[in-house]
């Protein structure tokens, strides 16, 4: 969609769900909310628990945010596995499917 706009009209018999009644059980479900949309933006996610894995020895660990869910995450520059000398500098890579995210 390079610059094209799309309009979708959905029809159904969903009961309206008030905004203050939306909970985690509504995740991945289509909801009908009463009201008028006055602004919209893309969801920005931030990782608060990052799963990292050493590319050399396969050592894996979870690194948590150091100052709440919106704080930064410090990734070690040296391997924390059994033989860190063999892995070299900055061997860790992030495993996105095993991270925990929070919406901003």
């Amino acid at each position: 969609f390079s610059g094209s706009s799309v309009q979708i009209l959905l029809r159904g018999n969903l009961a309206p769900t008030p905004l203050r009644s939306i909970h985690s059980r509504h995740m991945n479900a289509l909801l009908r909310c009463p009201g008028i949309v006055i602004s919209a933006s893309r969801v920005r996610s931030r990782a608060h628990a990052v799963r990292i894995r050493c590319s050399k020895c396969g050592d894996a660990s979870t690194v948590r945010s150091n100052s709440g869910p919106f704080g930064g995450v410090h990734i070690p520059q040296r391997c924390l596995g059994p033989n860190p000398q063999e892995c070299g500098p900055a061997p860790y890579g992030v495993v996105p499917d095993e991270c925990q995210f929070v919406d901003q």
Side-chain angles (χ1 to χ4, degrees):
F1 298 93
S2 59
S4 300
S5 63
V6 176
Q7 183 176 359
I8 299 174
L9 176 63
L10 298 176
R11 294 184 182 199
N13 58 353
L14 286 175
T17 304
L19 286 178
R20 294 191 182 267
S21 299
I22 297 174
H23 298 287
S24 60
R25 69 175 180 270
H26 294 106
M27 290 292 292
N28 298 323
L30 183 62
L31 298 177
R32 178 180 170 194
C33 300
I36 299 170
V37 176
I38 57 171
S39 114
S41 63
R42 290 189 179 272
V43 175
R44 296 184 309 171
S45 297
R46 261 192 103 128
H48 67 90
V50 177
R51 185 73 173 172
I52 57 174
R53 183 170 292 131
C54 178
S55 60
K56 306 287 189 213
C57 69
D59 176 63
S61 63
T62 300
V63 181
R64 300 206 175 272
S65 172
N66 47 1
S67 60
F70 296 111
V73 176
H74 175 72
I75 297 178
Q77 294 299 307
R78 292 270 177 211
C79 183
L80 303 174
N83 298 320
Q85 299 85 3
E86 296 176 5
C87 297
Y92 283 106
V94 175
V95 184
D97 291 340
E98 297 179 20
C99 295
Q100 295 175 3
F101 297 91
V102 64
D103 293 340
Q104 282 185 296

